[in-house]
Amino acid sequence: MSQLTPSRRNFLKLLGFTGGGLVLGVPLVAGCAASTRDHNSKDKGFTPSSFLQITEDNEIHFYLPQDEMGQGIYTGLTTLVAEELEVNPEQIQVHFAPPHKDFRNLTLEMQLTGGSNSISAWFRPLRQSAANARELIRNAAAQQLNAPVTQLQLQEGQVSWRGKKHPYGDFAALAGTLPVVEDAPIKKNGDFRHIGKSRPRLDGIAKSTGTAVFGIDIDIPNLYRAVVVRSPVHGGIPKQFFRGSLPRFQICA
Amino acid sequence: MISFQLNGEDVSVDIPADTPLLWVIRDYFKLKGSKFGCGKGLCGACSMHLDGDSVRTCIHPVSAVSGKSVKTIEGLGSADNLHPLQQAWIDNNAPQCGYCQSGQLMSASALLAKNLSPSEEEIDNAMKGHICRCGTYPRIKKAITETAKALNSTASRPVGYYLPTENNVQEDKGESP
């Protein structure tokens, strides 16, 4: 939160956060295996993972802890966050989380995507985290607008008070200084606005315009790509190999 | 030096003549939307338009495009100027993992550029050989069929026109403050 430990700050730097705002991790969920997560132990040097950021200019960032490989969790997990944060899924900027223990799957106890468990594993943790963030925004808004907490409506990324709508970002700075909320109410199954509804995939535009980034699309300095040269006929084996015919490539084997 | 047109611009490259066009586009021009799948022209992920025809660029030497016109997925449309097929792809949730979709779109758009009323068989013929691990074929076919129908009903609409639909995610956003 506001009193980030140095290691926490470094972690945020690693993620490319430059501005201020509200950053929240996933809390320890009742019933989960014992964890070293502890929101209040800022002096212990342990830092909760960073799934959500709301900036003062009202950008909402979500760090997707698992991989999108066609199963749709880019949309699915983001929808869980949107549901409890009271924003539309399209308002959230989704980023792939870097490897870090904070992003481990609490069921599998490692950062791994597989076993068809992404939604079930994250269904409660991500919603709880987003709900906590929502309540912090609400508390901050109440303070900043001098309004009773119970009379504020939060919807579509905005706080409504006396007919006026304020974007969440207006309260991000203050929310970051307030006492952490760990057990904000989450919705009952019948109350969902986004979960369970069919909608266009959030990555549909990227995947229909060639702008979705896959592993093979990453360029780093001095990167060499190896491509298997296949025989033009089935079962063929190389007779000769002219190393010198590939001057532009480094031969690794 | 090999010169050709890339997405409407004149370009030249100094590169070994037998380099597959795909790698020239991906590694030299840094357009990463076209994918490497099999390297043998069998899967379709690398498809681009060459003078309007959909070709497998992983086996197409760059020397063979000299003086010709190449169009990649980047030249087909972009998020704020979608090709009608791209809009239909989005509306139908066609992509899953998405890896094959650039190639699929290039073949589909090459088909519709020549034939705005393709039969089911003509669609199958144009799209066969495009392999999709996720099995998105039925939605792709539906997207092509719908696009052809929409373009036919508004014959004056230029290709590249943004087709508004009820499903458009961008219409779904809340009011800004």
Side-chain angles (χ1 to χ4, degrees), chain A:
Chain A
M1 306 306 299
S2 64
Q3 298 166 13
L4 299 172
T5 60
S7 64
R8 172 103 175 131
R9 288 185 193 282
N10 285 338
F11 177 59
L12 295 179
K13 234 184 261 173
L14 175 79
L15 290 179
F17 291 164
T18 49
L22 172 64
V23 185
L24 274 193
V26 166
L28 178 61
V29 177
C32 284
S35 160
T36 49
R37 282 165 204 283
D38 185 349
H39 270 293
N40 297 319
S41 304
K42 295 176 182 99
D43 55 341
K44 281 188 190 165
F46 170 73
T47 55
S49 57
S50 202
F51 286 80
L52 275 176
Q53 188 193 24
I54 300 171
T55 67
E56 290 168 55
D57 46 2
N58 206 36
E59 288 176 0
I60 300 168
H61 299 274
F62 167 47
Y63 286 81
L64 184 71
Q66 302 208 182
D67 203 14
E68 164 66 39
M69 42 177 132
Q71 81 280 47
I73 58 169
Y74 186 99
T75 304
L77 295 186
T78 305
T79 302
L80 300 183
V81 170
E83 184 70 59
E84 299 291 345
L85 198 56
E86 292 295 2
V87 302
N88 288 330
E90 289 81 9
Q91 288 175 282
I92 298 178
Q93 297 182 36
V94 185
H95 311 270
F96 292 104
H100 192 280
K101 64 180 175 160
D102 283 357
F103 294 116
R104 76 193 187 283
N105 181 305
L106 292 173
T107 306
L108 305 171
E109 283 299 324
M110 62 178 87
Q111 191 173 353
L112 180 149
T113 308
S116 301
N117 91 332
S118 296
I119 291 291
S120 61
W122 293 103
F123 194 66
R124 193 174 164 98
L126 281 179
R127 285 171 56 213
Q128 186 65 60
S129 179
N132 295 346
R134 180 198 66 218
E135 289 313 303
L136 274 172
I137 291 287
R138 191 195 303 275
N139 293 345
Q143 240 182 68
Q144 213 164 302
L145 300 172
N146 201 20
V149 169
T150 51
Q151 290 186 30
L152 297 175
Q153 295 286 322
L154 274 67
Q155 210 171 32
E156 297 185 338
Q158 298 175 106
V159 181
S160 298
W161 167 239
R162 287 188 170 159
K164 197 162 183 282
K165 289 178 175 180
H166 308 266
Y168 283 1
D170 287 2
F171 313 109
L174 180 58
T177 68
L178 297 181
V180 170
V181 175
E182 290 196 2
D183 53 357
I186 59 172
K187 291 184 184 175
K188 293 192 184 69
N189 284 0
D191 297 339
F192 295 144
R193 297 179 60 224
H194 303 297
I195 292 172
K197 307 263 165 63
S198 182
R199 69 190 310 115
R201 285 174 174 251
L202 298 177
D203 52 4
I205 294 175
K207 286 175 175 176
S208 302
T209 52
T211 53
V213 178
F214 294 81
I216 199 173
D217 302 328
I218 304 292
D219 261 329
I220 52 175
N222 300 316
L223 174 71
Y224 290 91
R225 284 181 217 285
V227 171
V228 176
V229 179
R230 294 192 176 86
S231 166
V233 292
H234 183 66
I237 54 167
K239 226 169 154 181
Q240 277 178 303
F241 173 60
F242 300 104
R243 182 173 292 242
S245 66
L246 299 170
R248 293 179 58 250
F249 298 98
Q250 180 165 313
I251 307 299
C252 301

Side-chain angles (χ1 to χ4, degrees), chain A residues 69-70 88 156 158 167 199-201 204-205 207-210 212 214 216-217 219 225 227 230-232 248, chain B residues 23 26 30 32-33 35-36 38 40 86 89-90 93 95-97 99 101 105 133 167 169 172 174-175 177:
Chain A
M69 42 177 132
N88 288 330
E156 297 185 338
Q158 298 175 106
R199 69 190 310 115
R201 285 174 174 251
I205 294 175
K207 286 175 175 176
S208 302
T209 52
F214 294 81
I216 199 173
D217 302 328
D219 261 329
R225 284 181 217 285
V227 171
R230 294 192 176 86
S231 166
R248 293 179 58 250
Chain B
W23 295 105
R26 286 183 54 89
K30 305 289 181 195
K32 305 287 194 180
K35 302 303 181 201
F36 173 83
C38 65
K40 290 296 275 179
Q86 290 171 312
W89 245 241
I90 294 161
N93 271 333
Q96 278 188 233
C97 89
Y99 200 79
Q101 300 297 341
L105 276 157
R133 176 199 76 160
N167 292 336
V169 296
D172 199 30
E175 288 172 35

Side-chain angles (χ1 to χ4, degrees), chain A residues 208-209, chain B residues 7 49 71-78 81-86 101-102 104-110 159-160:
Chain A
S208 302
T209 52
Chain B
N7 294 332
H49 293 177
K71 189 191 267 188
T72 68
I73 184 72
E74 289 85 357
L76 189 69
S78 56
N81 184 28
L82 293 168
H83 185 282
L85 278 167
Q86 290 171 312
Q101 300 297 341
S102 296
Q104 303 264 15
L105 276 157
M106 296 317 283
S107 282
S109 55
V159 170

